[in-house]
Amino acid sequence: SQQGEEDPQALSIQEGENATMNCSYKTSINNLQWYRQNSGRGLVHLILIRSNEREKHSGRLRVTLDTSKKSSSLLITASRAADTASYFCATFIQGAQKLVFGQGTRLTINP
Amino acid sequence: EAGVAQSPRYKIIEKRQSVAFWCNPISGHATLYWYQQILGQGPKLLIQFQNNGVVDDSQLPKDRFSAERLKGVDSTLKIQPAKLEDSAVYLCASSFNNFYEQYFGPGTRLTVT
């Protein structure tokens, strides 16, 4: 079964609006990472949050982590057309010492 | 700094043929990964190297897939013989060490007909 599951599977919003994507996972983790993938730039690392951190910011990105609920969210503020992409959460599993990707959220920003 | 390099970018082969992919990681990165990404899904780890040793190959179909990382730098992934279900994008990534963020190459899109 999937370790990380993103919700929603697809999201379409207007440019300038905020986009929120959620990720749930099953087992204990060392860290959780978010990646973006589009046809132009491939798979790119966005942000890493450690298991002892609750919130992290990077530019227009805000990530939260709730280890008690085994969930994370990625917020993109003031969205732009260039944010159109698939977003993946990836969990670094304790013990297994490897990164496991979810199925991704497809985000479309409409002009 | 130069990114992760992969070749070829595209490959079309018939089933039962063999194919090889090449990856050159970012200089100084000890950990190298090969992922398989099927259309509409997230990347799935096939094999992970730490320097030139295998750390995890639990999801590598060893009856047909093989990989090596000579001298702890470049790596090759081979499929022999290929099946239709091997059609996917094969991604190579590297990281400074296993706990850090991973940097991905552009991938090789394999089509098996």
Side-chain angles (χ1 to χ4, degrees):
Chain A
S1 63
Q2 205 66 26
Q3 159 70 348
E5 294 185 6
E6 286 94 336
D7 173 62
Q9 290 190 345
L11 178 62
S12 181
I13 61 173
Q14 296 300 120
E15 194 166 15
E17 293 181 338
N18 296 341
T20 299
M21 288 159 271
N22 302 296
C23 171
S24 60
Y25 58 92
K26 295 181 173 65
T27 62
S28 296
I29 62 171
N30 288 105
N31 66 57
L32 186 144
Q33 304 177 30
W34 285 91
Y35 288 78
R36 179 182 64 211
Q37 186 175 42
N38 58 31
S39 57
R41 290 198 60 194
L43 200 62
V44 175
H45 178 266
L46 295 177
I47 199 163
L48 181 155
I49 186 165
R50 294 178 174 80
S51 59
N52 61 353
E53 297 176 311
R54 293 296 167 257
E55 187 171 311
K56 208 161 183 180
H57 297 255
S58 177
R60 294 182 296 111
L61 306 180
R62 172 178 170 256
V63 168
T64 61
L65 178 64
D66 187 333
T67 53
S68 66
K69 295 181 179 178
K70 291 186 169 56
S71 67
S72 174
S73 67
L74 171 67
L75 168 68
I76 304 174
T77 59
S79 63
R80 306 167 182 170
D83 295 328
T84 293
S86 290
Y87 290 81
F88 295 92
C89 81
T91 48
F92 193 89
I93 302 174
Q94 263 183 11
Q97 299 294 289
K98 65 182 179 182
L99 201 61
V100 178
F101 284 79
Q103 300 281 36
T105 292
R106 292 186 305 279
L107 174 66
T108 302
I109 308 298
N110 302 304
Chain B
E1 67 181 2
V4 176
Q6 287 187 250
S7 68
R9 293 294 308 277
Y10 305 92
K11 191 74 178 179
I12 301 174
I13 61 172
E14 295 182 354
K15 60 183 179 183
R16 292 187 290 275
Q17 286 187 326
S18 63
V19 64
F21 312 126
W22 173 83
C23 173
N24 180 244
I26 292 173
S27 178
H29 280 191
T31 314
L32 184 146
Y33 316 80
W34 283 102
Y35 290 87
Q36 180 193 59
Q37 186 176 24
I38 293 172
L39 188 65
Q41 298 182 17
K44 182 182 84 171
L45 180 68
L46 292 176
I47 190 167
Q48 175 181 326
F49 293 93
Q50 181 73 19
N51 296 310
N52 60 352
V54 175
V55 174
D56 188 304
D57 63 358
S58 57
Q59 297 193 93
L60 186 74
K62 298 181 186 64
D63 57 335
R64 298 184 300 106
F65 286 63
S66 65
E68 60 181 5
R69 188 181 185 195
L70 299 176
K71 300 180 182 178
V73 183
D74 292 6
S75 177
T76 56
L77 176 70
K78 297 179 181 177
I79 308 175
Q80 182 179 12
K83 292 185 175 180
L84 295 176
E85 58 260 37
D86 298 332
S87 293
V89 175
Y90 290 85
L91 296 165
C92 179
S94 69
S95 65
F96 180 71
N97 74 33
N98 195 22
F99 291 93
Y100 284 60
E101 61 269 25
Q102 297 182 15
Y103 294 84
F104 284 79
T108 297
R109 184 176 298 278
L110 173 67
T111 302
V112 182
T113 62

